[in-house]
Amino acid sequence: LTRSLVPSAPAALRALPPPVAVGVLHTTRPLHTTQQSLAPLPPLPEKGGEVRHGLIPEEFFQFLYPKTGVTGPYMLGTGLLLYFLSKEIYVINHETVAAACILTVIIYGIKKFGADVAAFADKLNEEKMAAAVAMKNEAIQTLQTAIEEEKKEQWRVEGRSFLFDAKRNNIAMLLETNYRERLLMVYNEVKKRLDYQVAMQNLRRQKEQEHMIQWVEKNVVQSITPQQQKESIAKCILDLKALSKSAHAAV
Amino acid sequence: MNLSFFDQFSSPSLLGIPLILIAMVFPALLLPSPGNRWINNRLSTLQLWSINLITKQLMIPLDKKGHKWALILTSLMMFLLLTNLLGLLPYTFTPTTQLSMNLALAFPLWLATLLTGLRNQPSVSLGHLLPEGTPTLLIPALILIETTSLLIRPLALGVRLTANLTAGHLLIQLISTATTTLMTTMPVVSLLTLAVLLLLTILEVAVAMIQAYVFVLLLSLYLQENI
């Protein structure tokens, strides 16, 4: 045995004499080389074992079926019971009645509440699984939303140049508008100043004119002598008479 | 197997070998240990759920120091529940009908709560001996009364459990004997007693569960006072 095992053993082992190598071989068996884990556990069977009358496994009936048929186990049970009773191996005493009562209560309880309790236990397990599955789904959903958001951002990046152009145009227009406003302001200010000068000149000329006219009038009025005044008045009277004659003629 | 009324209360022995230890340990064999799985079978799930419920109920009134008692109180509860319920089956021996066992459970646990209180907060523990707002003249009498009530607690715990279970079992025995005896002579009356017996059995199931709960609840109350 050692000769068959020793050739496959490492070289250091072969250097030892065979009786020692046997003992050493056991200790050189590789230990803790793999991460021995208990998962995944084999799944639990879907249903429990089949049971008849709540107590006796179905396999017992199948076991007796080939030799005694369908009624075999029941005959066995009845026979056993009658044997125990008749031989007084089991004595009917007050405990029998008490046994009947407690068994009635137990069987009634199981029949009435059994399904509900089983459903409750299943619900507890389902809730546990549902919580874990919900967490998993939520994580998947979050990631998918993140992917969609990322794609949207990438699409937005494509349109970014248009956005910048539009913004640039806006700014250029604003600057242009501002510049033109300022030009207008400059023009208006200059025009105001020139208008002022023009108005000043006009005012000066007007004033000079008026002054001259007044001076002329004043001198003329001063130069009118009394002789000239009488002559002009006589002329005016003659004119008026002539006019009145023509006016009489017209009427 | 002719049974007298005392046979169910005598400590069982087989060929001179006392079976009391097996009788006390057996209920623990009925509880499956939770396996390595995340989702267990129905029995394990229900057991886990019920133990969680019991522990939460017992530990909510206690503060963090009292949570050290969680294990012993919950296991005591499960033990009493199972032994009481299993004792209702025919021809079974209920260890909790023995005063010796109940006192052995009650006395050390009560003493532990008392000593914890006296050691950690002696004035508060002794302060529980005098309820608030008593008239001054009554104080000496009240302290004596409260001390008596304190010292009688373990006896009360043990005897309560023993008496309830023993009385229940004895009643079941007597009424079923009456039913059996009357069956031959007056069957109708026998049926009436059978009906009484059915109701009594339901009561006994309730009493078994309630007495276990009361025992553990009172211990947790004594713990609350003293922790």
Side-chain angles (χ1 to χ4, degrees):
Chain A
L1 198 68
T2 54
R3 241 159 288 186
S4 62
L5 284 171
V6 161
S8 61
L13 204 58
R14 270 183 245 155
L16 298 166
V20 181
V22 174
V24 175
L25 192 62
H26 286 295
T27 54
T28 53
R29 184 167 55 90
L31 296 168
H32 298 292
T33 48
T34 57
Q35 217 172 8
Q36 189 187 38
S37 72
L38 299 166
L41 285 170
L44 284 173
E46 277 287 323
K47 298 176 130 294
E50 285 281 312
V51 165
R52 220 190 271 201
H53 305 299
L55 277 178
I56 310 157
E58 191 64 37
E59 285 86 1
F60 182 65
F61 291 83
Q62 297 307 317
F63 171 67
L64 289 180
Y65 180 75
K67 289 287 189 290
T68 55
V70 176
T71 51
Y74 297 107
M75 290 308 297
L76 179 65
T78 320
L80 265 177
L81 184 64
L82 287 175
Y83 167 65
F84 284 141
L85 284 172
S86 66
K87 288 272 192 179
E88 292 225 332
I89 296 173
Y90 176 72
V91 180
I92 298 228
N93 46 20
H94 59 273
E95 290 267 15
T96 315
V97 177
C101 284
I102 189 73
L103 280 175
T104 314
V105 169
I106 288 175
I107 292 175
Y108 173 74
I110 290 178
K111 282 265 189 295
K112 187 149 184 229
F113 302 113
D116 288 335
V117 168
F120 177 70
D122 286 339
K123 189 168 74 90
L124 286 175
N125 280 344
E126 281 302 311
E127 279 171 10
K128 211 169 161 188
M129 258 203 350
V133 166
M135 236 166 46
K136 179 184 90 166
N137 284 345
E138 209 183 291
I140 291 177
Q141 201 57 40
T142 319
L143 288 172
Q144 271 181 342
T145 321
I147 289 174
E148 275 159 31
E149 293 280 314
E150 180 61 32
K151 286 206 176 111
K152 209 173 180 192
E153 288 301 313
Q154 280 176 353
W155 169 78
R156 278 188 187 154
V157 163
E158 288 167 23
R160 216 170 40 179
S161 58
F162 297 126
L163 186 70
F164 291 160
D165 276 344
K167 283 196 173 171
R168 222 175 281 131
N169 282 346
N170 267 358
I171 290 173
M173 270 203 282
L174 277 174
L175 286 174
E176 186 74 28
T177 317
N178 204 8
Y179 175 65
R180 292 218 181 145
E181 273 176 2
R182 287 206 215 137
L183 271 185
L184 186 65
M185 204 167 67
V186 164
Y187 168 78
N188 282 341
E189 288 294 312
V190 167
K191 187 155 172 314
K192 270 201 288 198
R193 300 230 187 328
L194 292 178
D195 280 345
Y196 174 70
Q197 296 299 324
V198 162
M200 280 289 285
Q201 279 183 353
N202 284 349
L203 186 68
R204 178 179 279 266
R205 186 167 298 162
Q206 194 181 359
K207 285 292 179 216
E208 284 174 359
Q209 211 168 1
E210 275 179 16
H211 187 256
M212 178 109 23
I213 290 174
Q214 270 182 343
W215 184 76
V216 164
E217 276 182 7
K218 196 170 76 176
N219 279 347
V220 164
V221 165
Q222 270 179 351
S223 72
I224 295 180
T225 58
Q227 171 72 21
Q228 280 179 326
Q229 210 169 354
K230 272 187 208 165
E231 279 180 15
S232 70
I233 288 174
K235 185 119 189 346
C236 287
I237 292 172
L238 281 175
D239 280 335
L240 274 171
K241 277 186 191 168
L243 276 173
S244 73
K245 277 191 196 155
S246 63
H248 272 295
V251 171
Chain B
M1 234 188 337
N2 283 325
L3 295 173
S4 73
F5 292 133
F6 302 111
D7 279 344
Q8 67 162 340
F9 298 123
S10 65
S11 191
S13 65
L14 182 64
L15 301 174
I17 305 169
L19 298 173
I20 182 72
L21 191 61
I22 307 177
M24 281 170 61
V25 163
F26 174 67
L29 293 173
L30 296 174
L31 296 171
S33 51
N36 287 329
R37 300 170 171 276
W38 180 52
I39 295 210
N40 294 312
N41 53 2
R42 284 173 183 168
L43 186 61
S44 295
T45 313
L46 284 172
Q47 175 195 299
L48 193 65
W49 169 82
S50 68
I51 289 185
N52 276 346
L53 188 72
I54 291 168
T55 316
K56 250 194 294 189
Q57 277 278 46
L58 286 174
M59 290 296 127
I60 280 178
L62 293 170
D63 65 345
K64 203 143 173 264
K65 278 187 294 174
H67 291 178
K68 278 187 276 189
W69 285 67
L71 184 61
I72 192 165
L73 286 178
T74 312
S75 47
L76 184 66
M77 173 86 177
M78 294 307 289
F79 171 68
L80 288 175
L81 204 57
L82 277 177
T83 39
N84 290 351
L85 285 173
L86 281 174
L88 289 169
L89 294 171
Y91 301 108
T92 48
F93 169 70
T94 321
T96 37
T97 51
Q98 309 296 310
L99 185 64
S100 52
M101 187 183 113
N102 292 344
L103 278 179
L105 281 176
F107 205 94
L109 289 171
W110 162 83
L111 195 62
T113 61
L114 184 67
L115 290 179
T116 313
L118 281 178
R119 187 168 176 243
N120 296 340
Q121 39 181 32
S123 40
V124 174
S125 287
L126 289 173
H128 279 301
L129 288 175
L130 188 67
E132 257 184 57
T134 54
T136 324
L137 282 176
L138 283 176
I139 288 182
L142 212 52
I143 294 202
L144 283 174
I145 293 171
E146 288 284 334
T147 313
T148 322
S149 116
L150 177 74
L151 292 175
I152 229 164
R153 276 178 184 175
L155 273 178
L157 276 177
V159 172
R160 181 187 303 112
L161 190 57
T162 314
N164 267 296
L165 262 78
T166 313
H169 283 239
L170 209 53
L171 264 178
I172 289 180
Q173 301 286 322
L174 290 169
I175 297 187
S176 51
T177 311
T179 317
T180 322
T181 323
L182 287 172
M183 241 194 309
T184 47
T185 48
M186 288 186 276
V188 179
V189 181
S190 170
L191 280 175
L192 274 175
T193 37
L194 188 66
V196 171
L197 187 57
L198 268 175
L199 293 172
L200 184 66
T201 312
I202 298 173
L203 177 70
E204 279 310 306
V205 170
V207 162
M209 296 194 280
I210 290 169
Q211 284 305 316
Y213 178 59
V214 158
F215 193 95
V216 176
L217 185 70
L218 281 174
L219 270 177
S220 79
L221 281 175
Y222 302 153
L223 187 63
Q224 264 175 359
E225 280 184 356
N226 285 314
I227 195 79

